[in-house]
Amino acid sequence: MQAQDLELRHGRLRAAVRPAAGGSLAGFWYRHEGRHGDRHGGAEVPVLRPAPAGATAPLQMSSFPLVPFCNRIANGSFEWHGRTVRLSPNHPGDEFPLHGYGWYEAWRVESAEPTRATLRWDHDRGEWPWAFTARAHYSLDDGGLELALEVENRADEPMPVGLGHHPYFPRSADTRLRAWLPWRWEVDATLIPLDRAPNPDAAAFAERARVADLRLDHGYTGWDSHAVIDEPATGLRILLMGEGGNAFHLYVPDAPIYCAEACTNQPNAINDPRAEATMQALDPGAVARFRMRLDVEPRQAAAPL
């Protein structure tokens, strides 16, 4: 735990929030009961990949907020209410702007309690030409962790907005993911969606896909806002739920991690009239909201899938 972190605790759950690193979550853990015969008895295990000590880079965090848009905007350009908006790349190695701007900003603590914290980031006009205030809420309860976002438009005209969270889960050889993902967007070499097609892995995901068998960086639609993760290595079952949008993004690199992201907009939605999960037009003074939950229970006590 770093001095700049906020520590949240509730029962068997612990979380660390790192405001200066993109308003991010730096860790989320579950402590097993000290049950005889349970190989995890009494151990605290990670639900999300913990951030390294002292890390400030957003891609090293456990999860970071996506605001005011999710994923990529092709060519850094879009038309909005009769004008062209142009955005520069904002992440090394990526030619298009990615994941909004909040992940590279220091957020300030607006409130902090033993089980919850609220962070705030005020954006004034710049390349993203609309002023807004974003708040990230982190809270622990009996079931798990809630990660909520809200954005208030402080501009004098409607602004586009998309919200999400980017959690990094540890991946073992037998991590399983179950979700209803009927449609997948095929992508080009820059990871911009080309066409929506039936998901070739839909049956596997419906039955609990083995994540280690996959190499993906794709968006999905038709998601019912629920996913179940079974992780034998930590003895946990995790229920991921999204509220405020039905876009789902899955990133599985050649590394012992993966990202299962609930979002309100799919990649490049603002430029694609075929997009089913697009960016909201937020009126002046209005507030857009998004919520993601990670409910956690020991596999030993979980109902059969």
Side-chain angles (χ1 to χ4, degrees), residues 168-183:
Y168 286 84
F169 294 90
R171 174 172 65 79
S172 69
D174 202 36
T175 302
R176 304 282 175 159
L177 173 65
R178 188 181 72 176
W180 176 247
L181 301 173
W183 299 98

Side-chain angles (χ1 to χ4, degrees), residues 24-240:
S24 300
L25 189 70
F28 177 36
W29 299 267
Y30 176 89
R31 180 171 49 82
H32 284 277
E33 292 183 27
R35 188 175 295 169
H36 180 70
D38 180 358
R39 69 186 179 97
H40 299 289
E44 185 180 66
V45 295
V47 181
L48 297 175
R49 174 198 66 179
T56 57
L59 295 184
Q60 294 178 292
M61 297 296 110
S62 301
S63 189
F64 56 83
L66 309 177
V67 56
F69 59 87
C70 305
N71 213 278
R72 291 168 177 82
I73 294 178
N75 302 308
S77 176
F78 62 92
E79 300 296 321
W80 186 257
H81 289 211
R83 66 168 162 166
T84 300
V85 178
R86 300 190 187 280
L87 308 173
S88 303
N90 63 340
H91 177 64
D94 209 299
E95 61 182 295
F96 302 146
L98 177 66
H99 295 329
Y101 298 98
W103 62 319
Y104 274 112
E105 297 292 334
W107 296 49
R108 65 182 178 87
V109 179
E110 192 165 75
S111 66
E113 301 174 35
T115 63
R116 66 186 66 241
T118 295
L119 311 182
R120 175 173 175 161
W121 170 50
D122 292 301
H123 168 79
D124 293 319
R125 296 175 189 274
E127 268 202 334
W128 186 264
W130 300 278
F132 64 84
T133 293
R135 288 181 173 85
H137 307 278
Y138 296 97
S139 61
L140 296 174
D141 54 37
D142 289 340
L145 171 67
E146 183 167 302
L147 307 93
L149 285 171
E150 59 183 54
V151 166
E152 179 185 359
N153 182 4
R154 293 191 286 107
D156 56 4
E157 61 178 323
M159 68 169 264
V161 65
L163 302 171
H165 243 280
H166 198 296
Y168 286 84
F169 294 90
R171 174 172 65 79
S172 69
D174 202 36
T175 302
R176 304 282 175 159
L177 173 65
R178 188 181 72 176
W180 176 247
L181 301 173
W183 299 98
R184 186 173 88 178
W185 284 88
E186 304 304 327
V187 296
D188 65 16
T190 64
L191 299 175
I192 295 299
L194 293 172
D195 296 295
R196 193 191 76 155
N199 179 12
D201 303 312
F205 282 122
E207 293 294 329
R208 293 196 314 153
R210 186 172 178 265
V211 179
D213 293 338
L214 306 169
R215 291 295 178 270
L216 296 167
D217 196 346
H218 289 74
Y220 299 83
T221 52
W223 183 47
D224 64 0
S225 299
H226 291 76
V228 179
I229 296 164
D230 225 27
E231 184 48 84
T234 56
L236 297 180
R237 180 165 297 162
I238 304 158
L239 174 61
L240 185 158

